[in-house]
Amino acid sequence: DAGVTQSPTHLIKTRGQQVTLRCSPKSGHDTVSWYQQALGQGPQFIFQYYEEEERQRGNFPDRFSGHQFPNYSSELNVNALLLGDSALYLCASSLSSGANVLTFGAGSRLTVL
Amino acid sequence: AQRVTQPEKLLSVFKGAPVELKCNYSYSGSPELFWYVQYSRQRLQLLLRHISRESIKGFTADLNKGETSFHLKKPFAQEEDSAMYYCALSNNFNKFYFGSGTKLNVKP
């Protein structure tokens, strides 16, 4: 089991552009959460997807949107990129009926110039 | 509002010395408390959770609801314990709030 896989690992965008990040959850997991980790900070919750719907959302603007597919994989989309969106974006998967434990991916590092 | 505070950004100890990484939280309700760890060039991973009451790699953490704390302790630090440690709390729906982390450096 490869665990949680994320792509791309690194990317560079310019202000105003749009970006899509992808995540495949750990085998057997049905819930995907996205976190933003700025330099020197802990992960901050963006939103969570379960049964292809956004179930919970953190304090992020509507520029941040997501999607979950029938195979439980997920995408994070960010529109109109700002310099402050530069961060490590972490995907974490879990099992809705299981223990309240997250399994993290390695992250996608986004740099906005 | 939910908040997790880790007051120390960096903690340096010598091998064999006791370690205590501090964590305080605020939450309206009964949260679950966790410690996650990130070793160099590895992913963030679960170290321990308060409801399991386990000792993992010699680390323990006791939930003190009166002081709203969940400090991580180990009586004798090892060099391989050097890592970034994050305290986190969660509601019952896998939504986690993380602290800003403490870097533990265990010197030989």
Side-chain angles (χ1 to χ4, degrees), chain B residues 45-101:
Chain B
Q45 59 186 284
L46 176 68
L47 178 62
L48 56 79
R49 50 197 299 225
H50 88 271
I51 64 171
S52 61
R53 293 185 168 271
E54 294 174 305
S55 173
I56 306 295
K57 299 184 179 183
F59 284 98
T60 60
D62 291 322
L63 178 60
N64 186 324
K65 293 184 178 181
E67 296 183 357
T68 59
S69 68
F70 189 56
H71 303 326
L72 183 68
K73 301 176 183 179
K74 185 170 184 177
F76 308 103
Q78 303 300 313
E79 290 182 68
E80 55 266 30
D81 296 328
S82 294
M84 196 75 187
Y85 290 80
Y86 294 94
C87 181
L89 68 79
S90 176
N91 58 18
N92 291 327
F93 298 99
N94 299 138
K95 180 179 181 179
F96 282 68
Y97 300 88
F98 286 84
S100 56

Side-chain angles (χ1 to χ4, degrees), chain A residues 73-87:
Chain A
S73 67
S74 177
E75 289 182 349
L76 164 65
N77 300 292
V78 187
N79 295 321
L81 285 168
L82 304 173
L83 297 179
D85 295 332
S86 294

Side-chain angles (χ1 to χ4, degrees), chain A residues 4 35 37 48 56 100 102, chain B residues 36 43 86 90-91 93-94:
Chain A
V4 178
Y35 288 80
Q37 187 174 20
Q48 179 187 90
Q56 298 189 82
N100 189 17
L102 299 177
Chain B
Y36 276 79
R43 303 176 181 198
Y86 294 94
S90 176
N91 58 18
F93 298 99
N94 299 138

